[in-house]
């Protein structure tokens, strides 16, 4: 089921069981001879490899979000943290509105790691979504990767994470947080 058009999304059944992947990539100078979109090129190739190795995992990959929180040396097209946070929240709100519940922010940019983690926590609280973050840096692949074996290995790691996420039980109470009260004295 990965790599669907936006129009095909409306046809997906049991959306709450789908692992929805939101790629996040920036534009930055990662070294000589690397294009500014190296983050996106590497991330999307790893995500594609993971989708090919996903087994029974129901997976949907949406188009990547492209930004770098800034200012950041060597990064192009930076945006302020509140703008980037609102962008991620708006996309996740749209996904939640049509019934998706498990969202993975799959981030390539070293400048966006903290933001993605914080946004995922905030979205979990505000929207009741089951949020996960995977940073490309954790998949042991660099921006200069070129070998098919490197992508297959990183894709396999990511596919295993997707399977683990798919196997987790749904959040109780439709994701609403429990209200805690102090004990009476």
């Amino acid at each position: 089921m990965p790599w669907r058009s936006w129009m095909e999304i409306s046809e997906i059944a049991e959306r709450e069981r789908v692992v929805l992947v939101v790629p996040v990539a920036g534009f930055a100078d990662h070294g000589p001879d690397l294009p500014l979109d190296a983050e996106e090129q590497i991330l999307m190739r790893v995500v594609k490899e993971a989708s090919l190795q996903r087994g029974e995992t129901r997976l949907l990959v949406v188009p990547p979000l492209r930004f770098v929180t800034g200012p950041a040396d060597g990064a192009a097209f930076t945006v302020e943290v509140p703008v980037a946070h609102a962008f991620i929240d708006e996309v996740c709100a749209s996904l939640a509105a049509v019934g998706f519940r498990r969202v993975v922010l799959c981030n390539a940019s070293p400048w966006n790691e903290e933001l993605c983690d914080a946004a995922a926590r905030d979205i979990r609280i505000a929207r009741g979504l089951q949020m996960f973050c995977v940073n490309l840096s954790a998949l042991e692949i660099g921006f200069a990767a070129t070998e098919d074996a490197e992508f297959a290995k990183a894709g396999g790691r990511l596919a295993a994470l997707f399977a683990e996420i798919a196997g987790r039980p749904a959040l109780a109470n439709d994701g609403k947080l429990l209200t805690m009260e102090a004990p009476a004295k």
Side-chain angles (χ1 to χ4, degrees):
M1 171 167 50
W3 309 100
R4 300 273 181 146
S5 72
W6 284 109
M7 297 301 292
E8 293 173 303
I9 290 173
S10 64
E11 300 171 2
I12 297 172
E14 297 182 320
R15 293 180 195 143
E16 70 281 356
R17 297 179 49 94
V18 173
V19 175
L20 198 130
V21 179
V22 178
V24 179
F27 296 96
D29 181 5
H30 288 287
D33 302 323
L34 291 176
L36 283 178
D37 67 343
E39 291 179 15
E40 183 175 340
Q41 288 184 31
I42 298 298
L43 176 62
M44 295 311 290
R45 188 158 172 202
V46 170
V47 169
K48 183 175 183 179
E49 185 63 41
S51 74
L52 295 172
Q53 297 182 44
R54 76 185 189 285
E56 299 299 315
T57 303
R58 295 185 67 206
L59 187 66
L60 176 67
V61 180
V62 299
L65 309 183
R66 298 171 178 104
F67 64 86
V68 173
T69 53
D73 291 338
F77 312 113
T78 59
V79 296
E80 296 297 320
V81 170
V83 173
H85 188 289
F87 182 35
I88 294 171
D89 181 58
E90 193 66 30
V91 168
C92 289
S94 296
L95 300 169
V98 294
F100 293 103
R101 307 305 301 160
R102 297 170 200 254
V103 177
V104 181
L105 298 178
C106 203
N107 171 55
S109 179
W111 292 279
N112 293 340
E113 287 185 8
E114 290 180 27
L115 168 75
C116 287
D117 291 342
R121 284 189 300 269
D122 293 346
I123 293 165
R124 161 63 182 97
I125 292 166
R127 307 216 178 267
L129 292 175
Q130 201 166 3
M131 297 294 298
F132 303 89
C133 291
V134 177
N135 292 306
L136 192 61
S137 61
L139 299 176
E140 300 178 19
I141 190 166
F143 295 123
T146 58
E147 301 296 322
D148 289 343
E150 293 175 281
F151 289 101
K153 189 173 182 182
R157 286 186 181 108
L158 187 56
L161 289 171
F162 291 156
E164 184 178 325
I165 289 166
R168 296 184 70 89
L171 293 175
N173 202 22
D174 199 32
K176 293 178 183 72
L177 296 178
L178 298 175
T179 304
M180 302 297 288
E181 296 181 19
K185 290 188 177 185

